[in-house]
Amino acid sequence: EPEVTQTPSHQVTQMGQEVILRCVPISNHLYFYWYRQILGQKVEFLVSFYNNEISEKSEIFDDQFSVERPDGSNFTLKIRSTKLEDSAMYFCASSDRSSNQPQHFGDGTRLSIL
Amino acid sequence: RKEVEQDPGPFNVPEGATVAFNCTYSNSASQSFFWYRQDCRKEPKLLMSVYSSGNEDGRFTAQLNRASQYISLLIRDSKLSDSATYLCVVTGTGTASKLTFGTGTRLQVTL
């Protein structure tokens, strides 16, 4: 069964450093998403991406965050200057059609900011 | 009011028991509804979509009541492997609509 893959599985970074989280969505999917889950809390939406542009973003997704689909297969999330509170699991998801379809999640990147 | 509200549990049930989870959502314009399952420190995995007519997948039955903005999940004949957190999830409207998650209900099935 096709799956969403994410790298790295765990990233440890000093506060203030830039970090890039990578995702390869399922190949025929058109809609891409990033979510995060702080330890012990619920999964929160960050951003959705379709047709090479952001469709929607949450309040969390401020100017420190950006997304890119550089080459038609990868989908990246960049955090420009990390803060302690950015420590969380980051999940990438994709779906093949729009809002009525379930999204399929990658197994996540655990980001630890020191 | 929370967008998606669930009883966090935990629900501790013996193997073979039937257990039911409920969820309410605040946005009456929500379009699609799902139950996801999440094991500890893992990604959410789709368990099933939820339809107004009710739907069943093996031991799992899901129901949606749009008038009451209420979603349910029934698990029959619980197995040890059903132990997980069950996430109630709704979508909004529009293209590339985000998923809004509840905090989840934790289920522990014991011998």
Side-chain angles (χ1 to χ4, degrees):
Chain A
E1 186 179 323
E3 57 182 27
V4 176
T5 57
Q6 290 186 241
T7 54
S9 56
H10 191 190
Q11 174 81 46
V12 181
T13 302
Q14 291 287 335
M15 188 171 59
Q17 296 295 304
E18 176 183 285
V19 66
I20 297 176
L21 309 183
R22 292 183 166 79
C23 169
V24 179
I26 295 172
S27 64
N28 63 340
H29 283 190
L30 302 176
Y31 302 88
F32 314 114
Y33 309 83
W34 283 101
Y35 294 84
R36 79 169 187 193
Q37 187 174 31
I38 294 170
L39 187 63
Q41 297 185 23
K42 66 177 183 177
V43 178
E44 299 174 290
F45 168 76
L46 292 178
V47 65
S48 59
F49 192 86
Y50 169 69
N51 201 25
N52 284 318
E53 60 183 24
I54 290 174
S55 294
E56 186 180 356
K57 57 185 181 180
S58 71
E59 290 174 357
I60 304 167
F61 195 88
D62 62 21
D63 292 344
Q64 295 300 313
F65 290 85
S66 62
V67 289
E68 199 175 33
R69 188 155 160 82
D71 57 14
S73 62
N74 289 286
F75 179 50
T76 61
L77 174 69
K78 183 194 289 187
I79 309 175
R80 210 176 338 272
S81 177
T82 49
K83 307 182 189 69
L84 293 175
E85 55 264 36
D86 294 327
S87 296
M89 280 291 283
Y90 287 80
F91 294 110
C92 174
S94 69
S95 66
D96 62 353
R97 284 172 284 169
S98 62
S99 57
N100 292 336
Q101 300 307 311
Q103 296 171 22
H104 300 269
F105 284 75
D107 56 8
T109 293
R110 185 186 307 176
L111 178 63
S112 300
I113 307 300
L114 305 180
Chain B
R1 185 180 171 185
K2 290 181 185 175
E3 289 182 276
V4 179
E5 199 145 3
Q6 295 182 252
D7 180 346
F11 283 60
N12 295 300
V13 303
E15 239 186 336
T18 295
V19 62
F21 304 137
N22 304 318
C23 161
T24 56
Y25 60 96
S26 61
N27 184 357
S28 59
S30 297
Q31 291 279 317
S32 301
F33 308 88
F34 308 99
W35 284 102
Y36 277 73
R37 170 197 168 125
Q38 187 175 31
D39 294 288
C40 188
R41 295 186 172 236
K42 301 284 189 182
E43 76 275 21
K45 289 187 177 173
L46 178 68
L47 182 66
M48 58 198 302
S49 301
V50 188
Y51 305 112
S52 298
S53 53
N55 50 303
E56 192 173 303
D57 183 1
R59 299 181 292 108
F60 299 84
T61 301
Q63 193 79 45
L64 166 65
N65 184 323
R66 282 189 183 269
S68 304
Q69 294 177 208
Y70 173 94
I71 305 163
S72 65
L73 177 68
L74 184 77
I75 305 175
R76 288 181 299 279
D77 188 23
S78 300
K79 312 286 184 200
L80 292 174
S81 57
D82 294 334
S83 299
T85 297
Y86 290 83
L87 307 175
C88 179
V89 183
V90 307
T91 70
T93 59
T95 306
S97 182
K98 67 180 184 185
L99 298 180
T100 300
F101 286 78
T103 52
T105 298
R106 195 153 66 85
L107 172 66
Q108 184 67 50
V109 182
T110 56
L111 287 170

